[in-house]
Amino acid sequence: MRESVVNALCHRAWQYETSTIGIAIYDDRIVIENAGKFPANLSPLKLTDEEEQDDENTSLPPNPVIANIMFISGLIEYWGRGLSMMNNECIRVGLPEPKISDNGSFVKVIFKRPTPKEEHTLNTSRIQAEHKLNTGRTQANVTLESININIVKIIRSIGENWFSMNELLEIMGFKSRSTFSKKYLTPSIKSGFVQSEDPSNPTSPNQRYGLTVKGKAIYYSNK
């Protein structure tokens, strides 16, 4: 439920000034909703499947400043794993997986109290789910601690700014564009730490590069 509230803050469409994040508590369920929507052509089920299968899933919330604060304060544990973690944790404690809906304007998450029949079924999978969750946490921590040193260097060099290729070459002391791209820039982009300002036009002479939310979290936590 904490993860759901954090997601509501990070992904809320703040331009709707009259809307609020709603938390409704009933006898048989808890409902959390916020103004916003999932990315186009990406349903909650599909996103959850991608989180489970892709170890390099990158979260790109529309409110990166809020997301950074949540990550640095420890409220976000791992990037791009929120939905699958919610499902696994519910199963671990014997609850049904949360039901997530998106009508294009609001996202709603429902945590239900299980019926006696559901409780029996869910209890049989608790041990497996807990093992899977603990394994995922261990892998995430190892990944965070073992970031390639070249990626760490480019994260520190970019910081809060946006730089062109030539500016980065000068800042980091490189003369060869190909070597820099191969060993630093390309791996950083593929790993989700660095992004181009105009991804639709990668060869633009005015192209600049900055940190993603994931990259900024590493930068701020090591600043």
Side-chain angles (χ1 to χ4, degrees):
M1 286 188 287
R2 185 191 73 177
E3 181 71 24
S4 180
V5 174
V6 168
N7 282 344
L9 288 165
C10 292
H11 294 274
R12 177 187 168 188
W14 288 88
Q15 66 267 29
Y16 301 120
E17 297 179 0
T18 58
S19 70
T20 60
I21 293 172
I23 303 176
I25 302 175
Y26 304 92
D27 290 339
D28 63 340
R29 69 195 185 281
I30 293 177
V31 181
I32 300 169
E33 68 174 7
N34 65 282
K37 60 183 179 179
F38 277 80
N41 302 318
L42 196 59
S43 67
L45 179 60
K46 184 177 180 181
L47 185 58
T48 304
D49 289 341
E50 288 188 1
E51 288 182 4
E52 294 282 2
Q53 298 170 15
D54 184 2
D55 290 336
E56 295 186 353
N57 181 277
T58 302
S59 177
L60 293 173
N63 304 300
V65 174
I66 295 174
N68 280 332
I69 293 171
M70 294 290 184
F71 183 83
I72 294 168
S73 65
L75 293 172
I76 294 177
E77 296 183 56
Y78 316 111
W79 292 108
R81 291 291 181 272
L83 298 183
S84 57
M85 283 179 60
M86 284 163 53
N87 287 349
N88 291 335
E89 185 66 10
C90 283
I91 293 172
R92 186 184 70 80
V93 298
L95 293 172
E97 293 181 4
K99 181 181 177 182
I100 304 172
S101 61
D102 171 13
N103 66 3
S105 299
F106 282 85
V107 174
K108 183 181 294 186
V109 182
I110 301 176
F111 295 90
K112 288 186 62 180
R113 184 186 298 276
T115 64
K117 189 177 290 185
E118 288 174 327
E119 225 172 323
H120 175 74
T121 302
L122 290 165
N123 283 336
T124 61
S125 59
R126 278 190 183 185
I127 296 177
Q128 291 180 339
E130 187 167 16
H131 174 72
K132 183 178 180 182
L133 183 61
N134 289 335
T135 300
R137 284 176 173 164
T138 300
Q139 291 173 343
N141 286 333
V142 170
T143 301
L144 184 63
E145 294 168 0
S146 60
I147 298 174
N148 184 292
I149 187 63
N150 291 349
I151 295 178
V152 173
K153 287 179 180 179
I154 196 171
I155 287 174
R156 289 174 175 169
S157 298
I158 292 176
E160 300 172 347
N161 303 304
W162 289 83
F163 294 110
S164 67
M165 172 70 82
N166 289 336
E167 288 172 330
L168 285 174
L169 289 172
E170 183 178 349
I171 291 169
M172 299 186 69
F174 278 87
K175 293 183 178 179
S176 171
R177 293 171 67 96
S178 60
T179 299
F180 175 72
S181 294
K182 182 178 180 181
K183 293 186 176 182
Y184 289 81
L185 187 59
T186 300
S188 299
I189 292 174
K190 286 185 176 180
S191 300
F193 295 100
V194 174
Q195 60 185 330
S196 57
E197 190 173 35
D198 184 9
S200 63
N201 191 10
T203 60
S204 169
N206 299 318
Q207 187 68 268
R208 298 194 306 169
Y209 302 91
L211 299 183
T212 63
V213 172
K214 184 177 175 182
K216 287 179 181 179
I218 301 301
Y219 173 72
Y220 290 130
S221 62
N222 291 276
K223 193 173 180 181

